[in-house]
Amino acid sequence: MWSSKDITIEKKKVPCMVNESDNMIEIEMPFDLKLRKATSVTIDSTDYKITSMEDVGERKETLKITIEVQSNDKSIKGRKDSKLSE
């Protein structure tokens, strides 16, 4: 579901629309040529690596950012296993 949020990208706070699912986040924001080379974004105090960024319709109006969310199941399992072996 799309919701309105402020994100931080290149130390700049930007109002945008965010669609979050279990394994992916989509962000649509106003086009800004200076932000086209950004590699990460902060949403709700969490940093994410940008997977892709595109100029929607190639009209220099909207940027669409895609982020793949990594599951933390493996690291949690590893911590549980290490506690059992102590």
Side-chain angles (χ1 to χ4, degrees), residues 2-3 5 11-12 21 35 37 39 53-54 60 62 64 76-77 86:
W2 289 92
S3 60
K5 290 189 179 190
K11 299 180 183 178
K12 182 177 180 181
S21 66
L35 302 179
K37 295 184 181 192
T39 58
M53 186 181 301
E54 66 179 289
K60 297 184 179 174
T62 304
K64 181 177 181 181
I76 292 170
K77 182 180 177 187
E86 290 179 357

Side-chain angles (χ1 to χ4, degrees), residues 4 12-13 17-18 20 22 24-26 28 34 37 39-40 44 49 53 59-60 62 66 74-79:
S4 179
K12 182 177 180 181
K13 197 172 210 176
M17 295 299 293
V18 178
E20 298 182 69
D22 292 337
M24 187 172 69
I25 299 173
E26 295 174 292
E28 289 192 357
K34 294 177 184 173
K37 295 184 181 192
T39 58
S40 65
D44 298 329
K49 183 179 177 186
M53 186 181 301
R59 294 185 301 254
K60 297 184 179 174
T62 304
T66 305
K74 187 175 182 181
S75 61
I76 292 170
K77 182 180 177 187
R79 278 186 267 149

Side-chain angles (χ1 to χ4, degrees), residues 65-77:
I65 300 172
T66 305
I67 300 166
E68 289 183 26
V69 179
Q70 302 297 321
S71 174
N72 290 331
D73 292 341
K74 187 175 182 181
S75 61
I76 292 170
K77 182 180 177 187

